[in-house]
Amino acid sequence: MRQTLDFLLFDWLNAGELTSRERFAEHSAETFSAVLDTCEKIAREKFAPFNRLADTQEPHFDGERVHLPQATHDATRAYAESGMLAAAQDYDVGGMQLPCVIEMAGNAFFSKASVAMGGYAMLTSGNASLLMAHGTPLQREVFAKNEFAGRWFGTMCLSEPQAGSSLSDIATRAELEDEADALGPRYRLTGNKMWISGGEHEITENIVHLVLAKVPGPDGKLIPGTKGISLFIVPKKLVNERAELTGERNDVSLAGLNHKLGYRGTTNCLLNFGEGRFTPGGRKGAIGYLVGKPGEGLRAMFHMMNEARIGVGLGAVMLGYAGYEASLDYAKQRPQGRPMTAQASAGPSQARLTPSGGDGRSADGSGANKFGKDAASPQRPIIEHADVRRMLLAQKSYVEGGLALELFCARLVDELATGEDKAGAQALLDVLIPIAKSWPSEWCLESNSLAIQVLGGYGYTRDFPVEQYWRDQRLNMIHEGTHGIQALDLLGRKVVQQGGASLAALATRVQQTIERAIQTDWAPQANQLAAALAQVGSATKKAWSTGQPEDALANAVPYLQAFGHTVLAWLWLDVALAVGDDSDFAQGKRAAARYFFAYELPKIAAWLDVVARRDPLCRDIKPEYF
Amino acid sequence: MRQTLDFLLFDWLNAGELTSRERFAEHSAETFSAVLDTCEKIAREKFAPFNRLADTQEPHFDGERVHLPQATHDATRAYAESGMLAAAQDYDVGGMQLPCVIEMAGNAFFSKASVAMGGYAMLTSGNASLLMAHGTPLQREVFAKNEFAGRWFGTMCLSEPQAGSSLSDIATRAELEDEADALGPRYRLTGNKMWISGGEHEITENIVHLVLAKVPGPDGKLIPGTKGISLFIVPKKLVNERAELTGERNDVSLAGLNHKLGYRGTTNCLLNFGEGRFTPGGRKGAIGYLVGKPGEGLRAMFHMMNEARIGVGLGAVMLGYAGYEASLDYAKQRPQGRPMTAQASAGPSQARLTPSGGDGRSADGSGANKFGKDAASPQRPIIEHADVRRMLLAQKSYVEGGLALELFCARLVDELATGEDKAGAQALLDVLIPIAKSWPSEWCLESNSLAIQVLGGYGYTRDFPVEQYWRDQRLNMIHEGTHGIQALDLLGRKVVQQGGASLAALATRVQQTIERAIQTDWAPQANQLAAALAQVGSATKKAWSTGQPEDALANAVPYLQAFGHTVLAWLWLDVALAVGDDSDFAQGKRAAARYFFAYELPKIAAWLDVVARRDPLCRDIKPEYF
């Protein structure tokens, strides 16, 4: 993976050029590489060996405390000590001032080694970054800096049991207690928060919860919708202005751990705020400090949305990558049967198109002379079977393409922060973020399934890692905005906003790649991509041709799928143009690109067909018909 | 499900007409229904409540004994007492003389309730049926009858650690000890068998292993290929001619249990034969009795292949069905957000195609007035969301279509046994069996994933059953011939055998449905199906146009996928023609059929494209390019 990562970063995305920007002036290609080296080493030594342990020794709540394997403590500690929690932050808050694309690349190693153990750090970094952007100077000093230092970890508390994707329906209530608290206007919070990753543990001495809640209006009622949502810092243990623990426990308690299919190394919690289990200051109610202005909580929470969604997408890619590498390794080692292709190189084929005897089970091995194969010859590694190669090539196209997508998006985040064409970067990011989140969640799940299939029965056992990758992966289509939510975001908003400006910006970039490719051996793929782009554009128009959202959005997920495959085809073409030589590495990239165009891109026709017809079948079916 | 099952059996497949055949003359629609009632009841009471328990209390080997939950003992006992082990057998061996299609339909309830707990019985029934076909009268009396009675359970021992799909490479050796043993020519077996479901347990007092092994030639060497494979009865505990346990343990021992991703309620074992752990008759070597003739073991073992593969396919369908019902139930109960369609019925739409504020996460709920939705109104059940309906409709089309497929195939097994056109049934079965095995394994896995998605975060927890269904399901693409093996069987043998006669037989049947449909409202789908059938035929020819198996079979799996979808479209069209009225039930069937044609069948173009082009990419990529 490292070679591909370096190629994508430094050759394809020219990440080295970022050092010419003032913010990154003290960096060089060498310091970037050194960061990657460090991450790779810590991930290999502290995370990967314990990924299965973190799965089997699931977090356990004894009613008082949550127990985690010692390995999780050690791994997160090593991560914190590496400085990666503050990788992108300013030097003066202890950061490394790394570009987002390098930070993401570094984190990729941890996601690959143990996505669940890596979860605590990713959440903490995002939490603290949000406070850097929206908190008061003292909130940054007290909370963010101690999170960056790894002294405290952080969470994001959005969902509630009765309100998952529908944040407008959250019911956690925040009542003002003291407008003038030095740590920020002080409120008392009451409510329940569900699906809180890292919501309870004893890895760090404190946990900084960022909590969405509603401040009641003058009539004491909560305001419907998202307008009334504000953001609060709710520490598990109360702290003073000098960031010292006061010794008082805040009224936040663990109602229970969720027992999950996968991703078990990260605790996932139902938290009760203000139920009176603890009584800070002598009374019930969780103390929370307002961040930013009242009613702007959602805006603040989603300040870090691009990074959060790229992070989820990258995590999905790396789970896929881990499965790809495990199955590739297996396929090279495992002897089984005799491929038809191997025999072809041994001499002229004896095969004839005639029915053979034997049974159906081993069409691949039951007949001694089936298709001219010689049963007396030794079995060959399964990588020599065409269908195993297909499964490996599919995985390669998913995971390397996915990596290109996530790094491309991270690079755009850098353009947004320090580049010259911020508007252009914003426009592209707007349409790419739903893809960055959703595409690897879906296709690297397929990739993980193919990895199991390559290993056969062994892949179905817990003696090999591929089944865990597949289970861990299944979360990614659900959290951080479900697949359905991403689809509505893309078709309902991003591609139509500002008269379709974001979609146009993407089309321009795709067109540039097509124009370069049309001059090369890649002309057929360039033409295929041009046709795909036109189909996406046409389907977008037809979907919205009645102007009715219920018409347009009835098939938002097939649209998302087609859009994603088109974006990936574009990136693969662009990557293929960037590999120059005839090395095995370059040939592999070309093969994966060709695979994507031959086997994957043609799938979009079926998806776009229902979009363009505004097929009302799903929207209109009556519940009683099921 | 029962309504759909009854409709498919009695209205669509006319299973009631089977009672006019001599073998089933004592049956009636009422006795068939009574069997289904009994199965439904036992499955509901003895299997379903313990499906999670069988997963969490995984089989445990203490070095001496294998421990299973008591519930597994109770459930399998109840199954045996129902008489279903011998459902299809003659009355004079204690059977019920039921048609295969009724036996399968009855077993469907157990697969749905707990596919893993049901595994022991399915294996036993298959094992004993094989002995009825190929065993001596005494082998039937001693072994098969005691299996049908549930006194002993059975296994199928094919795979070995070094030979999974490639049976020609098995190395278990069988050496003749006494040609004249009353129980059959007696051999001593030595070797290891892997992936043996039900290979060890204490549910029954004995286990009857059916074992493939090779008898060495005069030179003492094993014959390469499948020709040398013979079949043996190897009881765990030795028995005499009166089927009494002799008190002597055979030399078969459990080397270890496989710890699986799912399907945990069925033990899965590595068994050592003849390692000397036990010394029957004073010496090492597992005693085995030859079944049938030497060298014809594979043929005998695959005598029951149709039923075995329909059984796996049906198990896959029922796991899908279980997930569909669980997610449908959840979708009707769970309030979340406000669908655009719900608002449409409340009054004229206020929606405009303009960018809205808010964030990307809750494109579906973040804006109070987004798409005219009123955040102050109560949340609505998620079944009102178009995308949830899409996920439910997809599941419905997969699981009900899959059920139609399996029952159709089971009905053909009855035609083969007791019908008039045996050759016609054989031809159809030949091409349909790879689909019956593979299609639900793949698409009901997708169905199970959609069920998780409908439940969102809750679906990812172990508090709901859908994650287990998904894990259990993942086995089905692997066992009983992998997906790749099924694809080679279909494209490499079945569709080309006898000059393509089987494919032609299928085409004739499909054409009959098209001709009936073309006269109805289903004419567009009929035309679409005709085009699909033509594409499959054309791709088949093009794949084989060079006559080279390595060309034709390089894309066997995409061919299998396209073939499967075409078959399912045909069956859905046929089912749609069979529902007459305007009941909710009938409307639901029509909606699922329309869904399949609109959303699924168009996928075949992408799959067949690479087949027809004989795309050599996967076949030719060099291992070092990965």
Side-chain angles (χ1 to χ4, degrees):
Chain A
M1 174 189 120
R2 182 63 187 270
Q3 189 182 1
T4 294
L5 187 69
D6 285 344
F7 163 75
L8 292 174
L9 281 176
F10 301 112
D11 296 327
W12 183 55
L13 292 173
N14 296 315
E17 287 184 6
L18 289 167
T19 58
S20 66
R21 296 183 186 172
E22 190 183 336
R23 181 169 177 81
F24 311 120
E26 293 185 31
H27 282 290
S28 64
E30 287 69 35
T31 62
F32 288 167
S33 285
V35 168
L36 301 182
D37 291 344
T38 301
C39 291
E40 189 171 12
K41 181 172 189 290
I42 298 172
R44 184 176 62 242
E45 294 177 357
K46 299 288 186 180
F47 284 73
F50 308 104
N51 189 43
R52 175 62 73 173
L53 183 78
D55 182 68
T56 54
Q57 289 188 18
E58 192 174 24
H60 164 64
F61 181 41
D62 65 13
E64 288 294 323
R65 298 171 58 178
V66 169
H67 301 273
L68 292 172
Q70 183 59 38
T72 303
H73 292 259
D74 298 343
T76 51
R77 179 60 37 210
Y79 184 93
E81 286 168 1
S82 76
M84 281 297 288
L85 284 166
Q89 300 300 315
D90 294 355
Y91 293 129
D92 64 16
V93 293
M96 292 196 265
Q97 283 193 202
L98 282 170
C100 178
V101 72
I102 300 297
E103 180 188 26
M104 288 284 177
N107 280 332
F109 291 104
F110 299 100
S111 293
K112 178 152 162 272
S114 180
V115 74
M117 284 205 292
Y120 301 96
M122 310 296 163
L123 285 161
T124 300
S125 186
N127 172 310
S129 297
L130 190 160
L131 290 177
M132 291 305 292
H134 294 278
T136 63
L138 190 61
Q139 286 174 341
R140 293 184 216 169
E141 185 68 24
V142 170
F143 298 105
K145 281 182 78 171
N146 279 296
E147 292 186 72
F148 287 134
R151 182 183 162 204
W152 304 336
F153 277 176
T155 75
M156 303 286 200
C157 301
L158 288 74
S159 302
E160 300 183 2
Q162 83 294 348
S165 294
S166 183
L167 288 177
S168 62
D169 292 293
I170 65 168
T172 295
R173 167 185 288 261
E175 308 209 47
L176 184 64
E177 184 170 76
D178 180 0
E179 181 81 45
D181 194 297
L183 289 171
R186 192 174 75 232
Y187 288 71
R188 290 282 183 156
L189 276 68
T190 316
N192 313 107
K193 290 290 178 180
M194 187 59 162
W195 312 121
I196 310 307
S197 288
E200 183 54 38
H201 58 72
E202 297 189 350
I203 299 172
T204 49
E205 65 169 19
N206 203 3
I207 300 174
V208 180
H209 302 292
L210 283 178
V211 182
L212 291 181
K214 289 186 174 179
V215 180
D219 60 354
K221 289 185 181 165
L222 300 182
I223 301 162
T226 57
K227 295 265 189 294
I229 298 177
S230 303
L231 180 66
F232 301 87
I233 299 168
V234 183
K236 171 182 166 186
K237 297 175 182 174
L238 295 175
V239 302
N240 64 23
E241 297 163 45
R242 293 178 304 281
E244 297 158 344
L245 300 188
T246 64
E248 201 167 25
R249 177 73 194 256
N250 202 356
D251 192 8
V252 183
S253 58
L254 178 65
L257 294 174
N258 291 308
H259 297 285
K260 293 172 290 180
L261 167 59
Y263 235 100
R264 294 184 185 167
T266 307
T267 56
N268 188 273
C269 309
L270 174 58
L271 295 179
N272 290 345
F273 291 82
E275 65 168 0
R277 170 101 191 268
F278 302 98
T279 50
R283 66 184 193 87
K284 65 182 280 193
I287 288 175
Y289 307 99
L290 182 69
V291 179
K293 292 181 187 159
E296 297 191 356
L298 215 51
R299 181 185 299 266
M301 185 61 97
F302 286 110
H303 176 86
M304 302 298 299
M305 194 187 67
N306 286 340
E307 287 91 326
R309 291 187 172 171
I310 295 170
V312 168
L314 188 61
V317 168
M318 298 321 296
L319 278 168
Y321 227 120
Y324 168 57
E325 289 186 351
S327 63
L328 177 59
D329 187 52
Y330 183 89
K332 287 177 175 172
Q333 308 290 334
R334 168 76 176 176
Q336 187 87 145
R338 293 147 199 89
M340 282 164 270
T341 45
Q343 180 266 347
S345 63
S349 173
Q350 299 292 313
R352 287 158 306 147
L353 178 47
T354 52
S356 67
D359 63 274
R361 178 183 176 108
S362 33
D364 173 55
S366 67
N369 294 305
K370 182 107 184 220
F371 299 137
K373 291 186 289 183
D374 176 8
S377 68
Q379 297 192 85
R380 301 291 306 160
I382 61 170
I383 199 171
E384 296 184 17
H385 293 287
D387 193 53
V388 172
R389 291 180 181 180
R390 180 188 63 82
M391 294 191 281
L392 292 170
L393 200 46
Q395 289 181 68
K396 184 178 171 77
S397 82
Y398 297 148
V399 305
E400 294 184 356
L403 184 57
L405 168 67
E406 304 304 331
L407 295 176
F408 187 87
C409 289
R411 186 75 171 75
L412 286 175
V413 170
D414 286 318
E415 290 309 295
L416 201 58
T418 59
E420 292 183 359
D421 182 12
K422 291 186 172 57
Q426 182 71 60
L428 271 179
L429 265 178
D430 277 349
V431 287
L432 288 179
I433 287 295
I435 303 304
K437 158 62 174 66
S438 68
W439 194 87
S441 300
E442 179 171 359
W443 295 97
C444 293
L445 181 68
E446 174 64 18
S447 191
N448 285 136
S449 185
L450 289 170
I452 292 174
Q453 194 69 20
V454 168
L455 271 75
Y458 293 100
Y460 197 69
T461 70
R462 306 204 295 279
D463 297 331
F464 287 82
V466 289
E467 63 86 24
Q468 185 184 344
Y469 299 144
W470 187 64
R471 284 187 291 112
D472 288 353
Q473 184 74 275
R474 187 62 189 79
L475 180 61
N476 287 319
M477 283 176 74
I478 298 170
H479 69 168
E480 192 57 34
T482 65
H483 227 52
I485 294 291
Q486 302 298 330
L488 293 176
D489 182 39
L490 180 67
L491 182 54
R493 199 158 62 97
K494 297 298 184 56
V495 297
V496 289
Q497 67 188 11
Q498 296 154 29
S502 294
L503 185 56
L506 177 66
T508 300
R509 286 293 288 263
V510 174
Q511 201 57 47
Q512 288 167 2
T513 303
I514 290 170
E515 280 163 21
R516 284 192 294 130
I518 208 85
Q519 315 292 335
T520 71
D521 290 349
W522 293 92
Q525 284 84 1
N527 286 321
Q528 196 186 342
L529 179 59
L533 186 65
Q535 280 179 65
V536 168
S538 165
T540 311
K541 281 200 188 68
K542 287 178 180 165
W544 280 107
S545 62
T546 66
Q548 302 294 321
E550 58 266 42
D551 286 348
L553 302 180
N555 295 293
V557 165
Y559 180 83
L560 179 79
Q561 293 174 301
F563 200 99
H565 257 48
T566 303
V567 166
L568 265 287
W570 160 51
L571 293 173
W572 263 120
L573 185 58
D574 209 71
V575 166
L577 293 176
V579 288
D581 60 15
D582 283 327
S583 63
D584 290 345
F585 177 83
Q587 297 283 21
K589 295 289 172 282
R590 288 192 199 101
R594 278 197 292 269
Y595 173 87
F596 203 86
F597 276 87
Y599 289 75
E600 296 293 332
L601 187 57
K603 293 178 180 173
I604 69 168
W607 292 320
L608 289 176
D609 184 47
V610 292
V611 176
R613 285 192 286 105
R614 298 181 301 285
D615 196 313
L617 186 61
C618 297
R619 191 192 70 194
D620 289 349
I621 186 174
K622 294 184 182 173
E624 54 270 29
Y625 289 179
F626 284 105
Chain B
M1 174 189 118
R2 181 63 188 270
Q3 191 183 359
T4 294
L5 187 69
D6 284 344
F7 163 75
L8 292 174
L9 281 176
F10 300 112
D11 297 327
W12 183 55
L13 292 175
N14 295 316
E17 287 183 7
L18 289 166
T19 58
S20 67
R21 295 184 186 172
E22 189 185 337
R23 181 170 177 80
F24 311 121
E26 293 186 30
H27 282 290
S28 64
E30 287 68 36
T31 63
F32 289 167
S33 285
V35 168
L36 300 183
D37 291 344
T38 300
C39 291
E40 189 171 12
K41 181 171 189 292
I42 298 172
R44 184 176 62 240
E45 294 177 357
K46 298 288 186 181
F47 284 72
F50 308 104
N51 189 42
R52 174 63 72 173
L53 183 79
D55 182 69
T56 54
Q57 288 188 19
E58 192 174 24
H60 164 65
F61 181 42
D62 65 12
E64 288 294 324
R65 298 171 57 178
V66 168
H67 302 272
L68 292 172
Q70 183 60 37
T72 303
H73 292 260
D74 298 342
T76 49
R77 178 60 37 210
Y79 184 95
E81 286 169 1
S82 76
M84 280 297 287
L85 284 166
Q89 299 302 315
D90 294 355
Y91 293 130
D92 64 16
V93 294
M96 293 195 266
Q97 282 192 204
L98 282 171
C100 178
V101 72
I102 300 297
E103 179 187 26
M104 288 284 177
N107 280 332
F109 292 104
F110 299 99
S111 294
K112 178 154 162 272
S114 180
V115 74
M117 284 205 293
Y120 301 96
M122 311 294 162
L123 285 161
T124 300
S125 186
N127 171 311
S129 297
L130 190 160
L131 289 177
M132 291 305 293
H134 295 277
T136 63
L138 190 61
Q139 286 174 341
R140 294 185 216 169
E141 185 67 25
V142 169
F143 298 105
K145 281 183 78 171
N146 279 296
E147 293 187 72
F148 287 134
R151 183 183 163 206
W152 302 337
F153 277 177
T155 75
M156 303 286 199
C157 301
L158 288 75
S159 302
E160 300 184 1
Q162 83 294 346
S165 293
S166 183
L167 288 177
S168 61
D169 292 295
I170 65 168
T172 295
R173 168 185 289 260
E175 308 209 45
L176 185 64
E177 186 170 76
D178 179 1
E179 183 81 47
D181 195 296
L183 288 171
R186 192 173 75 230
Y187 287 72
R188 291 282 183 157
L189 275 68
T190 316
N192 314 106
K193 290 290 177 179
M194 186 59 163
W195 311 122
I196 309 309
S197 288
E200 182 55 39
H201 58 71
E202 297 190 350
I203 299 172
T204 49
E205 66 169 17
N206 203 2
I207 300 173
V208 180
H209 302 292
L210 284 178
V211 182
L212 292 181
K214 289 186 175 179
V215 179
D219 60 355
K221 288 184 182 165
L222 300 182
I223 301 162
T226 55
K227 297 263 191 292
I229 298 176
S230 302
L231 180 66
F232 301 88
I233 298 168
V234 183
K236 171 182 165 185
K237 297 175 181 173
L238 295 175
V239 302
N240 64 23
E241 297 163 46
R242 293 178 305 282
E244 297 158 343
L245 300 187
T246 64
E248 201 168 25
R249 177 73 193 254
N250 201 357
D251 192 9
V252 183
S253 58
L254 178 65
L257 294 175
N258 291 308
H259 296 287
K260 294 171 290 179
L261 166 58
Y263 236 100
R264 294 184 186 167
T266 308
T267 55
N268 188 273
C269 310
L270 174 59
L271 295 179
N272 290 344
F273 291 82
E275 65 169 359
R277 171 100 191 269
F278 303 97
T279 50
R283 67 184 192 88
K284 66 181 279 192
I287 288 175
Y289 306 100
L290 182 69
V291 179
K293 292 180 188 161
E296 297 192 355
L298 215 50
R299 180 186 298 267
M301 184 62 97
F302 286 110
H303 176 86
M304 302 300 299
M305 193 186 67
N306 286 339
E307 287 90 327
R309 290 187 172 170
I310 294 170
V312 168
L314 189 61
V317 168
M318 298 322 295
L319 278 168
Y321 227 119
Y324 168 57
E325 289 186 351
S327 63
L328 177 59
D329 187 52
Y330 182 89
K332 288 177 175 173
Q333 308 289 333
R334 167 76 176 175
Q336 186 87 146
R338 292 148 200 89
M340 281 164 273
T341 44
Q343 180 266 345
S345 62
S349 175
Q350 299 291 313
R352 288 157 306 148
L353 177 47
T354 52
S356 67
D359 62 275
R361 178 184 176 106
S362 35
D364 174 55
S366 66
N369 294 304
K370 182 108 183 226
F371 300 137
K373 290 186 288 182
D374 176 8
S377 68
Q379 297 192 85
R380 301 291 306 161
I382 61 171
I383 198 170
E384 296 184 16
H385 292 288
D387 193 53
V388 172
R389 290 180 182 180
R390 180 188 63 81
M391 293 192 282
L392 291 170
L393 199 46
Q395 289 181 67
K396 185 178 171 77
S397 83
Y398 298 147
V399 304
E400 294 184 357
L403 184 57
L405 168 67
E406 303 305 331
L407 295 176
F408 187 87
C409 289
R411 186 75 171 74
L412 287 174
V413 171
D414 286 318
E415 291 309 296
L416 202 58
T418 58
E420 291 184 359
D421 182 13
K422 291 186 171 58
Q426 181 71 61
L428 271 179
L429 265 178
D430 277 350
V431 285
L432 288 179
I433 287 294
I435 303 304
K437 159 62 175 66
S438 69
W439 193 88
S441 301
E442 179 171 1
W443 295 98
C444 293
L445 181 68
E446 174 63 17
S447 191
N448 285 135
S449 185
L450 289 171
I452 293 174
Q453 193 69 19
V454 168
L455 271 74
Y458 292 99
Y460 197 69
T461 70
R462 307 203 295 279
D463 298 332
F464 287 83
V466 290
E467 64 87 24
Q468 185 184 343
Y469 299 143
W470 187 65
R471 284 187 289 113
D472 288 353
Q473 184 74 275
R474 188 60 189 81
L475 180 61
N476 287 319
M477 283 176 72
I478 299 170
H479 69 168
E480 193 56 35
T482 65
H483 228 51
I485 294 291
Q486 301 298 330
L488 292 176
D489 182 39
L490 180 67
L491 181 54
R493 198 158 63 100
K494 298 299 185 56
V495 297
V496 290
Q497 67 189 11
Q498 296 154 28
S502 294
L503 184 56
L506 176 66
T508 300
R509 286 294 288 262
V510 174
Q511 201 58 45
Q512 288 168 0
T513 302
I514 290 170
E515 281 163 21
R516 284 191 295 131
I518 207 86
Q519 315 292 339
T520 72
D521 290 348
W522 293 92
Q525 284 84 2
N527 286 321
Q528 196 187 341
L529 179 59
L533 186 65
Q535 280 178 65
V536 168
S538 165
T540 311
K541 281 200 187 69
K542 287 179 181 166
W544 280 107
S545 62
T546 66
Q548 300 294 322
E550 58 267 43
D551 286 347
L553 301 179
N555 295 292
V557 165
Y559 180 83
L560 179 79
Q561 293 174 301
F563 200 99
H565 259 48
T566 303
V567 167
L568 265 287
W570 160 53
L571 293 173
W572 264 120
L573 185 58
D574 209 71
V575 167
L577 293 176
V579 288
D581 60 15
D582 282 327
S583 63
D584 289 346
F585 177 84
Q587 298 283 21
K589 294 287 171 286
R590 288 192 199 101
R594 279 198 292 269
Y595 173 87
F596 203 87
F597 276 87
Y599 288 76
E600 296 293 332
L601 187 57
K603 293 178 180 173
I604 69 168
W607 291 320
L608 290 176
D609 184 47
V610 292
V611 176
R613 285 193 286 103
R614 298 180 302 283
D615 196 312
L617 185 61
C618 297
R619 191 193 69 195
D620 289 349
I621 186 174
K622 294 183 182 174
E624 54 270 29
Y625 289 178
F626 285 105

